[in-house]
């Protein structure tokens, strides 16, 4: 084989010894910044704590 030609090798899923490739498409995912996620989490935790103080269980 000449070294100038490069072949793309595609391996069928059956011959990958049980490994499966998951192709991730970033166009379909919801992107949330880590800072916003932490802020939302802290607000939710604070809301649960305040609700448990204001509305005691029966």
């Amino acid at each position: 084989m000449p070294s100038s030609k490069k072949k793309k090798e595609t391996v069928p899923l059956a011959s990958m010894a049980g490994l499966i490739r998951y192709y991730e498409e970033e166009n379909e995912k919801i992107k949330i910044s880590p800072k916003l996620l932490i802020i939302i989490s802290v607000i939710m935790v604070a809301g649960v704590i305040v609700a448990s103080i204001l509305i005691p269980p029966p």
Side-chain angles (χ1 to χ4, degrees), residues 11 15 37 45:
V11 180
S15 66
L37 186 63
V45 168

Side-chain angles (χ1 to χ4, degrees), residues 3-58:
S3 62
S4 63
K5 292 184 179 179
K6 292 184 180 180
K7 290 177 105 179
K8 287 186 177 180
E9 295 183 20
T10 57
V11 180
L13 290 177
S15 66
M16 290 177 44
L19 299 175
I20 299 174
R21 293 182 184 175
Y22 293 102
Y23 296 100
E24 297 180 10
E25 294 183 16
E26 293 192 21
N27 297 338
E28 298 177 6
K29 292 184 179 180
I30 299 173
K31 294 184 180 181
I32 300 176
S33 69
K35 291 179 183 178
L36 181 62
L37 186 63
I38 291 173
I39 290 170
I40 292 172
S41 300
V42 169
I43 290 172
M44 288 182 68
V45 168
V48 169
I49 291 172
V50 169
S52 69
I53 291 172
L54 295 177
I55 308 169

